[in-house]
Amino acid sequence: MKIIVTGGLGFIGSQMIRWALDTVPDVQIINVDSLTYAGNPANVAGYSEDPRYRWEAVSITDHDALEPLFADRSVDAVINFAAESHVDRSIMSGAPFVTTNVLGTQILLELARKYHVPRFLHVSTDEVYGSLGATGLFSETTPLNPNSPYSASKAAADMLVLAAFRTHQQDVVITRCSNNYGPYQFPEKLIPLFVTNGLEGQPWPLYGDGLNVRDWLHVSDHVRAIWMVLTEGHRGEIYNIGGHNEQSNRAVAEELQRILGLPSSVMVAVKDRLGHDRRYAIDSQKITKELGWEPLIPWQEGLRQTVSWYQTHQNWWKAIKSGSYRDYYAHQYGACNL
Ligand code: NAD
Ligand code: TYD
């Protein structure tokens, strides 16, 4: 099975590649990743020499550079992870989100259609549904109501994927997952930011009242679900993926404090994110009933393993934090006097 995986040098895409090469003997992977600030070849270190794997440093917005990868008609599937993925960056500047997440997805869809790729799996997010109040869950039929440039661009991409199904009967499937955590996550996202700041003796910027809620899922549970949808999901369908694991940001921080043995003073309340979605929570009955998927990694165990990974992989995140990341951090948190 030959698969084009886009965004395979990022957090979730690289987990997919490592998992597939470890688990699926006859898999061949072409990793299309243009290596933005969020991509990192070290995420597939130890796999890059595998003859079943190759990396193409190409943007999903570059139709002409992509076409030869599809042209021999041997590709069995596309899994589209490539995206600008950080809400705070989208608040600073939304244009790259529209270019990659919307235009890039449409270009991939058109090439997959032209060269008769049998399946296109688009990796989306629960954030397309917007924000929940204190109760309720997102199901696959919840109307799209995105609130940030990031989630709006992901919702637009979802609409293009569904349009390809309705207009051309193209074989597409969409997954919408909740917040992921685990190894190799870029330290701009909540959990790796707090863990690495904690290891460096830096404070934890908690937005607003810290009571915004996310439904956390270990990244390895996410990629197992993606594989099930890729191989057994029904064409034209959307599958929600969630951890049944709602946590406020304050609760996540308190758990990390316990694991790292840090005092509560490490948390510093800072100005809230603009348009900050209050609560996300996923109803994942459909994928459980249809495909038999369930999350396997318990939250506290997964979080401990994750902290331990950042403790033992300090070279990985220190290299990131000493680069252009510093400018981002100063811009994002400088005004908070952290
Ligand atoms: P990430 O930011 O860690 O990685 C994104 C990868 O895409 C990077 O390797 C980057 O170099 C690459 N990329 C960006 N623009 C590109 C372009 N134009 N062409 C080719 N490659 C490009 O993101 P992630 O957290 O791994 O998320 C992967 C996907 O999963 C995204 O589509 C995201 O919306 C979705 N998702 C993420 C989460 C989460 O919690 N992280 C949850 C649900 C869904
Ligand atoms: P994040 O990891 O950016 O994921 P998303 O915005 O896609 O859910 O943020 C998770 C939650 O943590 C979100 O409610 C915002 C909050 N947060 C902070 O309180 N402080 C921070 O420094 C960051 C990055 C996030």
Side-chain angles (χ1 to χ4, degrees), residues 10-12 33-34 36 39 59-60 81 85 100 124 150 154 180:
F11 167 47
I12 308 173
D33 193 306
S34 59
T36 68
S59 170
I60 62 166
F81 290 97
S85 70
T100 287
S124 186
Y150 164 65
K154 293 294 290 185
N180 285 211

Side-chain angles (χ1 to χ4, degrees), residues 52-69:
R52 297 170 299 157
Y53 169 82
R54 83 175 202 260
W55 169 34
E56 295 285 344
V58 168
S59 170
I60 62 166
T61 60
D62 187 344
H63 176 279
D64 293 352
L66 289 170
E67 188 153 18
L69 307 178

Side-chain angles (χ1 to χ4, degrees), residues 53-277:
Y53 169 82
R54 83 175 202 260
W55 169 34
E56 295 285 344
V58 168
S59 170
I60 62 166
T61 60
D62 187 344
H63 176 279
D64 293 352
L66 289 170
E67 188 153 18
L69 307 178
F70 287 83
D72 69 0
R73 297 180 186 238
S74 63
V75 176
D76 296 301
V78 172
I79 309 179
N80 183 28
F81 290 97
E84 290 292 337
S85 70
H86 192 40
V87 173
D88 291 321
R89 288 186 193 252
S90 81
I91 293 168
M92 290 177 195
S93 169
F97 288 73
V98 177
T99 306
T100 287
N101 301 3
V102 185
L103 177 64
T105 300
Q106 181 62 15
I107 287 173
L108 288 170
L109 279 167
E110 288 177 8
L111 284 167
R113 189 157 71 243
K114 179 171 176 185
Y115 293 105
H116 305 285
V117 176
R119 172 140 283 194
F120 187 100
L121 188 149
H122 180 68
V123 180
S124 186
T125 165
D126 61 355
E127 301 194 27
V128 297
Y129 297 120
S131 181
L132 289 165
T135 58
L137 300 172
F138 297 132
S139 78
E140 289 81 357
T141 55
T142 301
L144 301 188
N145 190 21
N147 293 316
S148 70
Y150 164 65
S151 54
S153 67
K154 293 294 290 185
D158 285 19
M159 298 300 241
L160 291 170
V161 174
L162 293 173
F165 174 66
R166 292 194 189 116
T167 309
H168 302 284
Q169 294 76 52
Q170 187 168 354
D171 187 316
V172 299
V173 277
I174 293 177
T175 57
R176 292 185 180 147
C177 190
S178 59
N179 285 62
N180 285 211
Y181 71 99
Y184 298 100
Q185 187 169 27
F186 196 85
E188 64 189 350
K189 305 285 189 341
L190 179 76
I191 289 176
L193 177 72
F194 281 18
V195 173
T196 58
N197 275 14
L199 294 173
E200 286 181 311
Q202 298 295 322
W204 294 353
L206 193 63
Y207 295 163
D209 62 7
L211 297 180
N212 300 65
V213 170
R214 300 292 184 260
D215 175 355
W216 292 97
L217 179 74
H218 194 275
V219 63
S220 64
D221 280 328
H222 184 187
V223 306
R224 237 180 356 93
I226 288 173
W227 190 260
M228 284 181 170
V229 172
L230 182 76
T231 53
E232 298 163 53
H234 300 295
R235 65 206 299 269
E237 292 291 322
I238 297 162
Y239 293 89
N240 281 356
I241 303 166
H244 314 300
N245 177 37
E246 290 183 47
Q247 304 286 339
S248 71
N249 296 333
R250 184 172 291 279
V252 172
E254 284 167 355
E255 191 63 36
L256 290 174
Q257 242 183 273
R258 274 191 287 279
I259 297 172
L260 286 160
L262 292 169
S264 60
S265 57
V266 70
M267 273 186 253
V268 176
V270 300
K271 195 161 70 68
D272 207 355
R273 173 185 279 174
L274 296 177
H276 196 175
D277 284 340

